[in-house]
Amino acid sequence: MSSRSRIPFSTLFRLWGYTFASMETWRGEVARFQYSSDQSLLVYFDEQGEQKKTGGAKAPPVQSRITLRGNENVRRLLRLLELEPVPGVRNLHPAYCSLLVKFDAIRMRHEEVEGILRKYLERLKEVKLPEPRRVEIPVCYGGEFGPDLAEVCARRGITQARAIELHSSVEYVVYFLGFVPGFAYLGELPEELVTPRLAAPRNRVPAGSVGIAGNQTGVYPFATPGGWRLIGRTALKMFRADSDGLSLLSIGDRVRFTPISRERFATLESA
Amino acid sequence: MRLIEVLEPGLFTTVQDVGREGYGPLGVSPSGAADAVSLRIGNRLLGNAEGEAGLEMTLLGGTFALPDGAVLALAGSDFGATLEGKPVEMWTAFEAAPGQVLRFGPTRSGARCYLCVRGGVEVQLFLDSASTHILSGLGGHKGRALKKGDVLTIGLANRNEQKRTGKNACSTVGAGTVGKRRLSARALKELQPRKVLRVTPGPQSDWFSEAAKKIFYESTYRVAEESNLMGIRLQGGVIPARAGGEMISEGVSLGAVQVPEGGQPIILFVEQQTTGGYPKIANVISADFHSLGQLRPRDEIRFERVEWDTARTLLAKQEKLMASEELMREL
């Protein structure tokens, strides 16, 4: 039994009868399936870009790439699975360009889940993503709130003012929430700020810390261990058990950071 | 309203049910009982819905007063429990009279003992579950491990309302009027926690060289002290990393064996991160999850590769036993 396959057979057959225009439909659904455990499988999108769609029967064990297109497909599939839940599917873990689907292994086999998901993939193009919400996050940069800002600037040869300007100049996309409740993976960081994560993670990162790692940025909702470089802090609660939405950010939202003073931070924190 | 008073909390005691499944898109992992099989059996011994909340004790148990009495059952590892100084049998429903005190000691076998009570431990649900999520401080009793002086409420027995069956539970037994029950010797034997954990290949198992896989499958690993509900950290044969680049974060499943830099594997556990960026060499099979919950620091384990169909069959067999008449007998 093969645990991965690339092109749905049903699609290959149907392709003969398709017009050129409807090949778009076929393009949108290219995904690779990979068993993850005896009760879950992964769907990877857009692994090799636009050009290499066909290829051999067995995909090489490549890592997926981060592309907005791949992430949009993740969000479409997630949306479709939320609108039309599959009985027996118990959980979904979206990420940059993949979706982990966890199912009741007593009720279903991997092959059945894969078959159902392939039908969903054929319909991805018709899925309307909700209009992205725009969220502004006030951040007090540097100092004790951003203990790694100086190091980031030194590594990249820029001033702190420039780093703050860069970080707050971009509208970021929430690629997904993961790691811990309400942690949003935001991209992409302006190239001038791209810095690898810390070699040794901190045991405890304060809640509200704004970090960067590679070309990503994000806010720690809780005091947790963490290896991202900390450049500032927000007083906003990223995840609240007492609110309806729970998480301040949702997958697909657009985020901007606004620099604020220490005084303003203190005011917001005590509010 | 009947109560449980925490006279001593023990080392690390939390309220757990079978977890909150379905909130992966929010980054919320299921948490829930580390040894869900034991919790489910404890509940069934009492006639509770099997996903009912109980107390999960770790390595060293607590002392609990029952001012109004209760029908109780202990499942999992033997923590040398006594009721008013008299030893209490594991895996059997028993009754505590009003005012009696139930006392636990250090473990005599595995890592966790479950105190289940007829009617369940009642807490405010967070995302449909009573489970404590320690990292985020949500769920359970005030989002934390129990402390001296805490007072818990026992739910009403035999409620007819729709119980939280836990989307996690594969089947549910409704609460009915039942007598006292004991787990069958056969079930106890079959559900014995294992030290040889059976695994299927992880999604990045092809990333690892044959030599690396040989080390993984032939080494004996020790459970490290720093292990917790998020991950079971192992020490043993170092698994060489694959040359070339970090992988991109993706969803991770319960029981995934990830290999970070340094080559010492970590098994993702009930309060796992929902996504992660380390390659996974293997994944513990579902039928062995409850064994993970009984691993203590310094325990030695090994991994054994099984086929996908074997993993399925073993889980089906376990669930069949859990649902069968043979699981327990009336006293």
Side-chain angles (χ1 to χ4, degrees), chain B residues 300-319:
Chain B
E300 295 197 330
I301 57 165
R302 284 192 304 109
F303 295 98
E304 180 188 316
R305 165 82 205 271
V306 296
E307 296 302 318
W308 295 103
D309 272 334
T310 312
R312 269 186 212 107
T313 310
L314 288 168
L315 178 64
K317 198 176 144 205
Q318 189 177 86
E319 287 304 320

Side-chain angles (χ1 to χ4, degrees), chain A residues 184-249:
Chain A
Y185 286 76
L186 305 172
E188 286 192 8
L189 205 60
E191 206 287 321
E192 278 178 82
L193 278 177
V194 172
T195 317
R197 67 189 68 204
L198 296 170
R202 289 186 171 87
N203 286 330
R204 190 176 179 281
V205 171
S209 294
V210 178
I212 61 172
N215 60 1
Q216 335 164 81
T217 183
V219 184
Y220 286 89
F222 301 100
T224 58
W228 291 23
R229 291 180 196 268
L230 310 182
I231 60 169
R233 197 179 299 171
T234 182
L236 288 189
K237 293 269 172 289
M238 303 304 290
F239 194 93
R240 302 170 52 144
D242 58 352
S243 78
D244 288 343
L246 291 169
S247 177
L248 178 69
L249 301 177

Side-chain angles (χ1 to χ4, degrees), chain B:
Chain B
M1 195 167 67
R2 291 182 305 153
L3 305 172
I4 300 175
E5 291 172 4
V6 181
L7 303 182
E8 288 296 335
L11 184 64
F12 182 77
T13 303
T14 55
V15 175
Q16 299 290 354
D17 60 13
V18 288
R20 52 181 68 77
E21 200 70 80
Y23 298 97
L26 289 173
V28 180
S29 55
S31 49
D35 171 359
V37 163
S38 289
L39 176 75
R40 289 166 62 193
I41 291 174
N43 279 321
R44 287 200 48 192
L45 292 168
L46 297 165
N48 287 345
E50 66 174 17
E52 197 63 78
L55 298 186
E56 176 180 282
M57 293 174 275
T58 312
L59 298 173
L60 173 68
T63 305
F64 307 93
L66 301 150
D68 319 294
V71 183
L72 305 154
L74 308 180
S77 291
D78 183 356
F79 280 27
T82 55
L83 183 67
E84 292 297 306
K86 290 198 189 90
V88 178
E89 235 184 302
M90 297 289 299
W91 308 106
T92 305
F94 64 97
E95 202 161 343
Q100 289 194 320
V101 173
L102 183 63
R103 197 180 299 270
F104 295 84
T107 180
R108 295 169 175 179
S109 47
R112 290 180 179 87
C113 177
Y114 292 86
L115 169 57
C116 298
V117 53
R118 183 173 291 170
V121 174
E122 198 149 85
V123 294
Q124 195 180 351
L125 300 187
F126 166 63
L127 296 178
D128 311 330
S129 163
S131 286
T132 315
H133 193 278
I134 291 291
L135 181 84
S136 61
L138 298 170
H141 180 73
K142 300 181 178 173
R144 59 163 170 79
L146 297 184
K147 287 181 183 168
K148 189 174 184 159
D150 280 345
V151 177
L152 302 163
T153 307
I154 300 173
L156 295 172
N158 306 333
R159 281 169 291 186
N160 283 326
E161 61 176 313
Q162 168 104 36
K163 278 309 300 167
R164 44 190 176 283
T165 54
K167 293 172 191 169
N168 213 2
C170 294
S171 64
T172 325
V173 175
T177 357
V178 288
K180 290 180 182 172
R181 294 164 167 177
R182 178 199 298 262
L183 185 69
S184 75
R186 184 197 143 210
L188 188 60
K189 184 161 175 280
E190 287 201 16
L191 295 167
Q192 195 67 33
R194 298 168 55 91
K195 292 283 162 52
V196 178
L197 300 170
R198 293 163 294 195
V199 297
T200 47
Q204 284 82 34
S205 62
D206 288 357
W207 282 39
F208 295 89
S209 65
E210 286 309 311
K213 281 186 239 184
K214 196 172 148 70
I215 291 168
F216 175 69
Y217 286 107
E218 291 182 2
S219 297
T220 296
Y221 286 96
R222 244 161 82 103
V223 176
E225 302 281 351
E226 315 88 273
S227 300
N228 56 28
L229 290 171
M230 290 185 77
I232 298 169
R233 291 167 180 273
L234 303 176
Q235 298 164 332
V238 172
I239 303 162
R242 165 191 183 266
E246 282 183 33
M247 64 167 272
I248 288 164
S249 286
E250 63 183 31
V252 287
S253 46
L254 178 61
V257 185
Q258 61 177 27
V259 184
E261 297 114 59
Q264 298 283 271
I266 299 170
I267 306 173
L268 296 181
F269 204 25
V270 283
E271 207 180 280
Q272 63 168 83
Q273 52 194 71
T274 54
T275 57
Y278 293 122
K280 279 85 64 187
I281 193 168
N283 206 105
V284 175
I285 66 169
S286 302
D288 285 353
F289 284 168
H290 72 289
S291 299
L292 295 176
Q294 293 299 346
L295 290 179
R296 294 167 301 180
R298 297 189 298 282
D299 274 353
E300 295 197 330
I301 57 165
R302 284 192 304 109
F303 295 98
E304 180 188 316
R305 165 82 205 271
V306 296
E307 296 302 318
W308 295 103
D309 272 334
T310 312
R312 269 186 212 107
T313 310
L314 288 168
L315 178 64
K317 198 176 144 205
Q318 189 177 86
E319 287 304 320
K320 197 177 159 198
L321 176 64
M322 290 292 286
S324 74
E325 293 294 314
E326 292 168 69
L327 183 70
M328 52 191 67
R329 57 186 178 79
E330 305 285 329
L331 289 178

